[in-house]
Amino acid sequence: MSKYDPLWNWIRENGTDSFKLTYAEIEKIAGLPIDHSFLTYKKELTEYGYKVGKISMKKQTVAFEKIKY
């Protein structure tokens, strides 16, 4: 079980092909502050059919994309 499981489940249930979330939205969904460990945990998302795209430190957003098989 990952600390980001609530976020990964939310993304999978969202079902959109690609979208962006702000850091604040991620923190609200995940129930914890986003930190540098997100870079390590993001690889877990592929198990849910998505991948992390561009992370913008300036705009404080993270892009998510559905993996096309």
Side-chain angles (χ1 to χ4, degrees):
M1 181 159 182
S2 165
K3 69 181 188 176
Y4 286 103
D5 279 347
L7 176 62
W8 306 152
N9 286 319
W10 186 93
I11 290 169
R12 179 180 56 201
E13 291 169 12
N14 179 38
T16 307
D17 284 350
S18 64
F19 59 95
K20 287 183 185 177
L21 293 174
T22 64
Y23 289 5
E25 290 169 325
I26 290 171
E27 291 174 353
K28 184 176 180 182
I29 294 165
L32 53 96
I34 190 170
D35 57 24
H36 197 270
S37 72
F38 182 79
L39 298 174
T40 302
Y41 283 96
K42 72 178 187 174
K43 63 184 172 222
E44 297 173 342
L45 186 54
T46 59
E47 297 171 28
Y48 294 81
Y50 283 82
K51 65 180 179 177
V52 173
K54 183 177 180 180
I55 299 173
S56 173
M57 301 295 281
K58 184 177 180 179
K59 294 180 182 178
Q60 294 194 335
T61 59
V62 179
F64 298 92
E65 301 169 7
K66 194 173 214 175
I67 298 171
K68 298 189 181 9
Y69 296 99

